[in-house]
Amino acid sequence: MNGSELTAEDYAAVLGAMQSLSATYGARTLNEALSQWRLTVIDLEEGFDTEWIWEYHNELVCRDWLHAAWPLLTPRVREVRQAELDEWDRRFVAATLPRRKADGLPAGMDGRWWHDRYPRRITGERGHDLPPGWSPAPVHADDD
């Protein structure tokens, strides 16, 4: 077996993760979730549009799916895809800031550390109210 071949057991685990998580996260594949995480991180690197500021945590659902799916995958699938996930997680951390823990705001649940971070850069109209805990305020892309 060469370094990239997956077995029927590997593919069955990916399908099983997709099926077991579809009720909670909607139907998505491992490839789709990793691709959506990549696109989310790229958007954050460019600046998160303040028009969608209150939808920010919804953008992180693809990472929630990956978090829930990872233990359901075979060690081989995790090994093959871990470097990709690590790279996008690293870039996410670089594109975000740690959220100030404000009263009444839950911390990232179940090890979901990405919910405890907010965009470093924003775009769009100025003057939008920012969510509690986004302090210091993100830099507006026009101010770079």
Side-chain angles (χ1 to χ4, degrees):
M1 175 159 93
N2 75 30
S4 63
E5 285 183 10
L6 297 176
T7 67
E9 177 188 2
D10 297 326
Y11 286 110
V14 171
L15 178 62
M18 183 182 82
Q19 291 170 336
S20 69
L21 298 174
S22 66
T24 303
Y25 297 104
R28 71 179 72 209
T29 66
L30 176 59
N31 288 341
E32 288 169 337
L34 283 165
S35 178
Q36 187 61 48
W37 183 231
R38 177 181 56 82
L39 294 173
T40 298
V41 172
I42 290 169
D43 283 347
L44 287 168
E45 289 172 335
E46 294 172 358
F48 191 79
D49 189 340
T50 56
E51 181 177 343
W52 305 105
I53 207 89
W54 297 104
E55 297 295 324
Y56 171 69
H57 285 284
N58 292 335
E59 295 293 316
L60 304 179
V61 168
C62 56
R63 185 60 179 87
D64 292 340
W65 188 95
L66 291 164
H67 175 76
W70 223 247
L72 304 176
L73 303 173
T74 62
R76 178 70 183 134
V77 173
R78 291 192 305 264
E79 176 188 337
V80 168
R81 302 311 291 266
Q82 188 68 54
E84 180 181 3
L85 180 60
D86 290 347
E87 174 63 12
W88 292 110
D89 283 352
R90 182 193 64 73
R91 287 177 62 172
F92 174 81
V93 168
T96 59
L97 296 166
R99 186 183 70 170
R100 180 178 49 85
K101 304 293 190 255
D103 292 342
L105 289 176
M109 301 156 298
D110 300 325
R112 296 175 187 195
W113 54 266
W114 48 96
H115 285 282
D116 287 335
R117 301 189 67 83
Y118 65 96
R120 183 179 294 274
R121 295 179 77 221
I122 55 175
T123 62
E125 292 183 32
R126 295 176 186 273
H128 284 278
D129 289 334
L130 298 176
W134 285 28
S135 177
V139 171
H140 198 281
D142 292 341
D143 295 340
D144 289 341

